[in-house]
Amino acid sequence: MSSSRITLLNTILWNNDAPAADEIYAGANTELHFQYSDVDTSSDIWFGSSQLSAEPVWGEGCLAGDPLFESGFHLSGASPCIDAGHPGDTFADPAGD
């Protein structure tokens, strides 16, 4: 049986609500990796854990704290996510914010 790997990089998954299914659906034999992401680990709906081939892998730069959104999906000045993304130039904020 084949396997797959999902890598979430520079991602915020917080206070999501999926009324009928998991927020992230992972099929059978899936590895789930996080890097430089803020994930609400207190919720049981964010992935289909019965489908994962192993526990999620928490790589460098992961957070599990409220991202402190203000109007819409903008981060407040006090957000722990500000400047917490991957440090490589490829992922730099083009606006310099």
Side-chain angles (χ1 to χ4, degrees), residues 65-84:
D66 187 337
L68 303 176
F69 288 122
E70 51 187 28
S71 60
F73 293 106
H74 297 276
L75 297 172
S76 75
S79 173
C81 297
I82 294 185
D83 294 330

Side-chain angles (χ1 to χ4, degrees), residues 13-30:
L13 296 175
W14 198 268
N15 202 23
N16 295 315
D17 187 21
D22 299 315
E23 197 62 31
I24 297 174
Y25 178 78
N29 298 315
T30 300

Side-chain angles (χ1 to χ4, degrees), residues 5-96:
R5 176 180 172 159
I6 298 170
T7 300
L8 289 142
L9 174 68
N10 291 343
T11 302
I12 298 173
L13 296 175
W14 198 268
N15 202 23
N16 295 315
D17 187 21
D22 299 315
E23 197 62 31
I24 297 174
Y25 178 78
N29 298 315
T30 300
E31 293 179 11
L32 186 56
H33 294 246
F34 292 95
Q35 292 182 319
Y36 298 96
S37 295
D38 189 10
V39 180
D40 182 358
T41 57
S42 66
S43 172
D44 290 334
I45 67 164
W46 59 275
F47 68 89
S49 60
S50 63
Q51 300 295 318
L52 296 177
S53 58
E55 287 294 311
V57 176
W58 302 100
E60 287 185 74
C62 288
L63 304 171
D66 187 337
L68 303 176
F69 288 122
E70 51 187 28
S71 60
F73 293 106
H74 297 276
L75 297 172
S76 75
S79 173
C81 297
I82 294 185
D83 294 330
H86 191 284
D89 289 339
T90 302
F91 304 103
D93 180 357

